[in-house]
Amino acid sequence: MKNLKRGGLACFFVIVSICFFIYPPGFPPFQGSFQAYAQEAGFFGEVFHVPEAFDPDYEEMERKFKIFVYPHNTSSCSNPRTLDGEYGNEGLFYLNLNLSRFLTKDPEKAHLFLIPISCHSLPAGRSEDERAIAVEDFVKSLISKYPYWNRTLGADHFFVTCVDINVTATARIANLMKNSIKVMCTPSYNDEYVPHKDVSLPQRVPPLALTPAGNNITNRITLAFWRGLNNSDIRQKLLEAWENDLELFIQKGRKPSLEQGDLVHHEAFNNSKYCICPGGPELDRTIALAIHYGCVPDILDWRKFSIILEESQVYYLREHLKEMLEHEYRAMQTNTVMVRKHFQWNLVPAKYDAFHMTMYDLWLRNHFTKYY
C-alpha cells in the first residue's frame, strides 16, 4: 500500500464499499465525470495492472523464489510475536514464511536474504538506546561474518520493521536503509519509505464479530463513512466540511480499531456504500477494514475498486459520490470484494493471500537487484 502524502501533495481515497483516497504523485486523480473515469480505469476489467503478465510471473515466483534467513540465537522467529494486536501482521509474516516453500538453507540458491532484526530486539525493559545498539551490533556481525552482503552492498537483503526501534537502529548502519528492502507494517515517508524499493505489509484484520461483506449492497444505507482523529490537514478539512452532514457519516473520534469490541465502528463500515480513507496516521487500518467489509498492493489497479480525489475536491465529496451510476458502483464494489483475498492473512499460507502478495512484491524487487 502506498503512503498517501508526499512532497506537499495530499490525496484521499474512497473505498467502495468503495474506497476514496486523496492521491499522491503517480495516481491519476478523478477529474470530470464518473463516466469518463470509469472508462479510463476499466472498471469492468481485471483488477491487476497487467493481468496477462501477472499469472505466469506469479507461478514462476512460487516455483523458483528462495529466501535465506540468517542464523539467529533466539526463538522469536520460529515462535513469533503475538499474532494479534498492533503488529500481528509481522508475527504472521514469520509464521507463514516458516511454513512456506520459499525458505532455503543454502545461501547460494537464495534470491534474497532476510536479516531477522525482529528476532533480536531486546525485551521492552531495556532502554531504547540499548535495544537499538543490540540490533545494530547483530546486523553488523552478520555483515562481517558472511560474504553475501558485500556482493550487492545489501541490495539483495531485506528486513521486516514494524516498530520504531528497528528504524532507529537500522538508520545507523551504512547502506542498510539506502540499499536494502524494508518490509514495513505502517509505511510512511517520515520513516524513509521508498515506494520503488520498499514493501508494505498488509494490515491484519482479525476474526471479527461481523463477517466479511459480499456483493449484496441492499444494507448499505449510508452514502459514505469515516471516523478518526483530525491529525492531518485533509482530515481536518474533511471534518470542517462534512461533520454535521445528514448524508455523510463523518465523525471525529478515536482511531479505527481492528478488534471485535468496536462494533459500532464495524457496523458503520458494513452499512456504507463508500468508506473514506483520508491521508494521515493509521491509514492502513482504515483501508484494511474497508476492504474487509467490501466498503470499497502496487500490483493491483486501485482505480478499479476506489475513487481517487485531489485534496481540493473534498468540499465537493457528496456531489462526486452521488454522481456515480448504479452499474458503475456495482462493478467497483464487486472488484473490492474480489481483491479482499489479497489483503487477508492466514495461519497457513494460501495462494494469493497477503503473505503471498508480499512475497510477490519481494520477487519483483529481486528483478532489480544488481550484482557487482
Side-chain angles (χ1 to χ4, degrees):
M1 293 183 190
K2 293 179 180 292
N3 177 276
L4 301 178
K5 188 170 184 179
R6 177 173 57 177
L9 180 60
C11 66
F12 67 94
F13 291 65
V14 183
I15 292 184
V16 182
S17 42
I18 298 172
C19 184
F20 269 101
F21 298 80
I22 302 178
Y23 81 97
F27 272 104
F30 163 78
Q31 293 178 336
S33 69
F34 265 120
Q35 289 68 46
Y37 183 90
Q39 183 175 4
E40 180 184 355
F43 284 177
F44 307 100
E46 294 283 347
V47 295
F48 294 100
H49 280 297
V50 189
E52 64 274 12
F54 171 76
D55 286 338
D57 202 34
Y58 180 94
E59 296 297 331
E60 183 181 13
M61 180 269 294
E62 284 209 322
R63 292 195 310 271
K64 297 181 178 180
F65 194 27
K66 295 298 178 185
I67 289 174
F68 177 79
V69 181
Y70 280 107
H72 47 88
N73 297 322
T74 72
S75 60
S76 300
C77 287
S78 53
N79 297 290
R81 67 165 74 216
T82 178
L83 301 183
D84 55 15
E86 189 171 3
Y87 302 120
N89 47 350
E90 179 184 5
L92 284 163
F93 176 82
Y94 279 112
L95 176 67
N96 277 245
L97 182 62
N98 288 328
L99 295 174
S100 76
R101 69 184 73 180
F102 298 114
L103 283 181
T104 179
K105 295 183 178 180
D106 184 354
E108 296 302 328
K109 295 181 179 179
H111 297 90
L112 292 178
F113 296 79
L114 171 58
I115 302 175
I117 290 176
S118 297
C119 305
H120 289 265
S121 295
L122 294 179
R126 301 291 184 91
S127 71
E128 184 172 319
D129 283 342
E130 287 178 310
R131 296 167 68 197
I133 290 171
V135 173
E136 179 184 5
D137 290 344
F138 169 64
V139 175
K140 287 182 175 179
S141 72
L142 297 181
I143 292 173
S144 62
K145 184 176 181 179
Y146 297 93
Y148 313 111
W149 174 275
N150 290 328
R151 298 188 310 184
T152 65
L153 295 179
D156 58 353
H157 286 55
F158 74 98
F159 60 98
V160 182
T161 175
C162 289
V163 291
D164 292 340
I165 186 68
N166 291 336
V167 176
T168 302
T170 52
R172 306 180 185 188
I173 302 169
N175 294 317
L176 185 62
M177 293 289 281
K178 177 183 176 182
N179 295 341
S180 299
I181 302 166
K182 295 186 292 295
V183 179
M184 303 184 71
C185 291
T186 53
S188 73
Y189 292 91
N190 294 333
D191 292 330
E192 305 298 330
Y193 180 79
V194 181
H196 68 271
K197 176 178 73 71
D198 299 330
V199 172
S200 60
L201 202 60
Q203 270 282 356
R204 159 198 163 273
V205 176
L208 298 169
L210 299 179
T211 57
N215 296 98
N216 187 348
I217 62 174
T218 56
N219 67 317
R220 299 190 182 276
I221 56 177
T222 302
L223 181 60
F225 166 71
W226 176 79
R227 188 188 75 185
L229 302 176
N230 58 341
N231 49 1
S232 70
D233 290 343
I234 184 56
R235 293 177 181 181
Q236 181 65 45
K237 292 178 180 179
L238 186 65
L239 286 165
E240 291 173 355
W242 301 109
E243 187 172 14
N244 298 315
D245 189 79
L246 298 178
E247 294 183 87
L248 305 181
F249 184 5
I250 307 299
Q251 184 182 69
K252 182 180 178 180
R254 60 192 176 92
K255 65 185 181 182
S257 170
L258 295 176
E259 305 309 322
Q260 295 186 18
D262 196 3
L263 289 182
V264 173
H265 195 184
H266 291 286
E267 287 174 352
F269 274 105
N270 217 27
N271 295 334
S272 300
K273 292 183 67 176
Y274 301 92
C275 293
I276 302 171
C277 306
E282 310 294 345
L283 175 63
D284 48 345
R285 290 188 184 189
T286 305
I287 294 175
L289 286 170
I291 291 176
H292 175 82
Y293 286 121
C295 177
V296 224
D298 300 343
I299 301 153
L300 302 173
D301 188 346
W302 285 86
R303 296 178 305 161
K304 292 178 180 176
F305 56 96
S306 65
I307 305 300
I308 306 166
L309 300 178
E310 295 181 17
E311 179 177 324
S312 60
Q313 294 174 305
V314 67
Y315 302 106
Y316 309 100
L317 178 59
R318 184 178 58 202
E319 287 73 16
H320 286 319
L321 295 180
K322 297 180 75 170
E323 183 186 7
M324 177 174 277
L325 299 178
E326 180 70 14
H327 73 284
E328 294 166 349
Y329 172 80
R330 287 183 176 275
M332 294 190 75
Q333 201 274 338
T334 297
N335 288 344
T336 304
V337 174
M338 287 174 57
V339 302
R340 185 167 55 216
K341 64 182 178 182
H342 302 310
F343 295 86
Q344 179 177 332
W345 288 97
N346 299 293
L347 294 178
V348 177
K351 196 168 186 175
Y352 301 123
D353 67 0
F355 170 72
H356 278 86
M357 298 306 282
T358 301
M359 297 303 293
Y360 185 68
D361 261 336
L362 289 168
W363 168 253
L364 295 179
R365 302 304 190 271
N366 165 66
H367 290 337
F368 295 101
T369 300
K370 303 295 183 183
Y371 287 83
Y372 299 96

